[in-house]
Amino acid sequence: MIKKLYGVFAVLLMWFVLHILLQTPAIPNPMTTLYQTIKLAPVLLPHLAMSLVRILSAIVVSAIVGTMIGIFMAQFKKLDEVLAPIVYILYPIPKIAFLPILMLLFGLGETPKILLIVSIIIFQFLMSAKDAVKEIREEYLDSAKSLRIKGIELYKHIIIPAILPSFFTTLRISVGVSIAVLFFGENFSTKLGIGYFIMNSYAMVNYVSMYAGIVALSVFGLFLFYMIDRFEIILCPWLEK
């Protein structure tokens, strides 16, 4: 708790120093901004809620589908030979460029924004799961075979526990990427979302409200990372020191 408070204090101190040194409306007083954030809470909450729905929808789809494909690619060589070239071609492509295409195909609703995030982070879950399965020590698999553990039991007792640590690492990275991508996506065909709120405040030259949105986004990200940490402690108790 003390470390978290130290981080908040350090950021606020650097912010205040920049405010004093630069003397520009582009960097408002942090205390004024925090007051504005609290004042705008009823306005910010619906924006944050919609962003949360979009991010969670994309992460759930990407985590389930990407992890399953990655596990199967690691286990079945023929499948890996078929899918690996496709993955290696698609993975490096900047998917942000696909948003106009997704909007043409799926309309101006939520689907394009969610699919845009999925198209980026699904590869992270896929590659992470694939590598994690390949790193499972052979003696563990041999022990499972000797005990006649197979099918669902093999996944339950060997494969899933083995990939969980890397899964949570990928999840943290994906949350950060998802927020960044969603910030871009929420500037098109929507009037609800924290990305829209921030850019709309910028367009209205309301810099204090813009920073209030950024502070809310930071708290939003902090909440997501905290929840991931809690789930990791519950599901991976052997990692806790």
Side-chain angles (χ1 to χ4, degrees), residues 117-168:
I117 300 173
V118 170
S119 70
I120 296 174
I121 65 174
I122 191 171
F123 291 100
Q124 298 176 356
F125 284 103
L126 188 156
M127 299 300 292
S128 173
K130 178 184 173 182
D131 291 342
V133 173
K134 286 188 173 181
E135 289 175 1
I136 297 176
R137 296 168 63 176
E138 285 295 329
E139 52 262 40
Y140 294 157
L141 297 175
D142 291 338
S143 298
K145 289 179 182 179
S146 66
L147 295 172
R148 297 183 179 179
I149 297 176
K150 56 184 178 180
I152 295 177
E153 293 298 313
L154 180 64
Y155 287 94
K156 180 180 178 181
H157 296 291
I158 302 295
I159 295 177
I160 299 301
I163 70 172
L164 274 179
S166 61
F167 174 84
F168 280 107

Side-chain angles (χ1 to χ4, degrees), residues 1 17 19 65 97 115 149 154 178 213 241:
M1 186 64 182
V17 169
H19 167 71
V65 177
L115 287 179
I149 297 176
L154 180 64
S178 297
K241 296 180 180 179

Side-chain angles (χ1 to χ4, degrees), residues 54-67 90-91 93 95 113-129 167 170-182:
R54 290 166 179 156
I55 288 175
L56 290 182
S57 299
I59 287 178
V60 168
V61 172
S62 301
I64 294 175
V65 177
T67 300
L90 293 178
Y91 191 20
I93 297 176
K95 315 301 187 307
K113 299 175 183 62
I114 294 173
L115 287 179
L116 178 64
I117 300 173
V118 170
S119 70
I120 296 174
I121 65 174
I122 191 171
F123 291 100
Q124 298 176 356
F125 284 103
L126 188 156
M127 299 300 292
S128 173
F167 174 84
T170 304
L171 189 57
R172 290 186 183 90
I173 296 171
S174 297
V175 165
V177 173
S178 297
I179 292 174
V181 175
L182 185 65

Side-chain angles (χ1 to χ4, degrees), residues 13-34:
L13 179 61
M14 289 187 289
W15 184 353
F16 185 75
V17 169
L18 287 174
H19 167 71
I20 295 297
L21 292 177
L22 299 181
Q23 292 292 311
T24 170
I27 303 181
N29 188 309
M31 295 300 106
T32 303
T33 303
L34 291 177

Side-chain angles (χ1 to χ4, degrees), residues 183-195:
F183 181 85
F184 173 81
E186 286 182 337
N187 285 283
F188 298 90
S189 305
T190 186
K191 290 188 176 180
L192 199 59
I194 193 63

